[in-house]
Amino acid sequence: TMPSIFSYQSAEVDWCEGNFERSTVIAEYYNTVNGTTLFSFLLLTPLNFLVLEGWACARTEFCSYKLSLSLAGIFSMYFHMTLSYVGQLLDELSILWTLAVAYSFWYPRVYFPRWIKSRRHFFWLSGVTTVISTLMSFIKPAFNAYALNCIAFHLLYLTWCELKKCNDKRVHRMAAVMVVWWVLAISSWISDRWLCGLWQAINFPYFHSFWHVLIAMSLLYCCPLVIYFDVNYEMPSFKPKLGYWPSDSWPVVVPYVALEEPHKQC
């Protein structure tokens, strides 16, 4: 008989970490704990937006993105705690919908297909595409994670296109840091997926838990970059500036975007 979709270890995916080794309730202890870390970082990410001055028009976008990020963190913890089929789908689909929210609100108009005439039309296109992708994800759930990771290559391509138009060294530096964190993250993910036998042989099967922390760090740098480019397109009268809180010199910082309000002409 088919196991219950809510049952422990009913998922199609099982990561390299041993199951129930440190808890009788939590299947993958370190992946779950670092899922909590991921959740914490995802809640930090909206700080990238909170320091914006005079960006009241982004209130709806901010709330939607914050909610989707929060759900992604919660569902990640639930999946690794149970390794259930439902947990796997919730984890993957929350990431898909978070990406859909980001694309819908902040994808630059200059890259719209020619037949898309407004942000509203693009919003509907993103919604329909995401619904279709959601339905297709039930066909082979084990493939979903690979498809989601491939979206990162499109984001990197867009970043490269924008950097070619930008001469601000601070922007280039932040993009470089983002890419370094992403490379470390995807390397950890692939290592856990493809070299599991090696890591188990040396009793160090924790690379997926590293992925959680590293991809969250990459997101902390990605979000202000996205907003920086969006402000340049949508609010050209303002001058966005990237910064680090509490100070550039601190070893642990939260990157953010500050807006310089335009001076009124007399």
Side-chain angles (χ1 to χ4, degrees):
T1 59
M2 282 286 291
S4 169
I5 58 175
F6 291 94
S7 297
Y8 273 67
Q9 296 180 282
S10 58
E12 288 191 358
V13 175
D14 190 355
W15 301 97
C16 195
E17 182 183 350
N19 299 330
F20 302 105
E21 291 184 346
R22 288 169 175 80
S23 172
T24 57
V25 178
I26 300 175
E28 295 177 341
Y29 182 80
Y30 286 108
N31 284 345
T32 303
V33 169
N34 277 349
T36 307
T37 304
L38 172 64
F39 179 52
S40 301
F41 271 107
L42 292 180
L43 288 180
L44 273 178
T45 303
L47 289 177
N48 299 143
F49 304 91
L50 291 177
V51 294
L52 291 175
E53 301 168 5
W55 203 32
C57 60
R59 226 172 259 170
T60 301
E61 294 90 325
F62 166 72
C63 291
S64 301
Y65 188 64
K66 182 179 179 180
L67 175 62
S68 61
L69 282 174
S70 301
L71 289 176
I74 292 170
F75 291 147
S76 175
M77 288 185 285
Y78 173 69
F79 169 49
H80 290 294
M81 184 177 73
T82 64
L83 290 179
S84 65
Y85 181 80
V86 166
Q88 178 187 345
L89 288 177
L90 287 174
D91 180 34
E92 294 163 350
L93 293 179
S94 64
I95 296 172
L96 173 65
W97 281 87
T98 298
L99 289 169
V101 168
Y103 267 77
S104 297
F105 290 132
W106 298 304
Y107 190 75
R109 296 173 188 265
V110 68
Y111 301 117
F112 282 5
R114 291 184 179 180
W115 45 276
I116 296 293
K117 303 301 182 183
S118 67
R119 174 70 62 180
R120 184 175 181 179
H121 291 163
F122 185 76
F123 185 89
W124 281 105
L125 173 65
S126 299
V128 171
T129 303
T130 305
V131 169
I132 294 173
S133 300
T134 298
L135 297 175
M136 291 179 62
S137 67
F138 288 87
I139 298 175
K140 186 61 177 174
F143 180 72
N144 295 344
Y146 292 95
L148 289 171
N149 274 311
C150 286
I151 297 175
F153 292 103
H154 183 245
L155 294 173
L156 291 173
Y157 170 74
L158 289 176
T159 302
W160 178 70
C161 290
E162 290 302 311
L163 289 178
K164 289 195 300 182
K165 308 174 189 176
C166 177
N167 296 320
D168 190 329
K169 292 183 179 179
R170 183 167 285 233
V171 175
H172 283 257
R173 190 181 101 186
M174 191 171 288
V177 174
M178 177 197 73
V179 172
V180 168
W181 283 118
W182 177 80
V183 169
L184 291 173
I186 196 64
S187 298
S188 296
W189 191 92
I190 292 173
S191 294
D192 188 272
R193 192 77 261 168
W194 295 354
L195 302 175
C196 181
L198 171 62
W199 307 131
Q200 287 181 339
I202 63 175
N203 197 29
F204 197 79
Y206 307 120
F207 278 91
H208 190 77
S209 65
F210 294 163
W211 147 263
H212 285 165
V213 177
L214 295 169
I215 198 63
M217 290 298 299
S218 183
L219 279 173
L220 277 175
Y221 287 85
C222 178
C223 286
L225 279 175
V226 170
I227 299 307
Y228 176 89
F229 295 133
D230 182 71
V231 170
N232 276 329
Y233 280 115
E234 303 296 333
M235 301 170 64
S237 60
F238 286 81
K239 292 184 179 180
K241 182 180 179 180
L242 294 176
Y244 297 95
W245 180 87
S247 170
D248 287 16
S249 60
W250 282 45
V252 179
V253 296
V254 176
Y256 66 89
V257 182
L259 299 186
E260 181 181 324
E261 297 210 22
H263 297 288
K264 293 183 179 180
Q265 299 293 330
C266 296

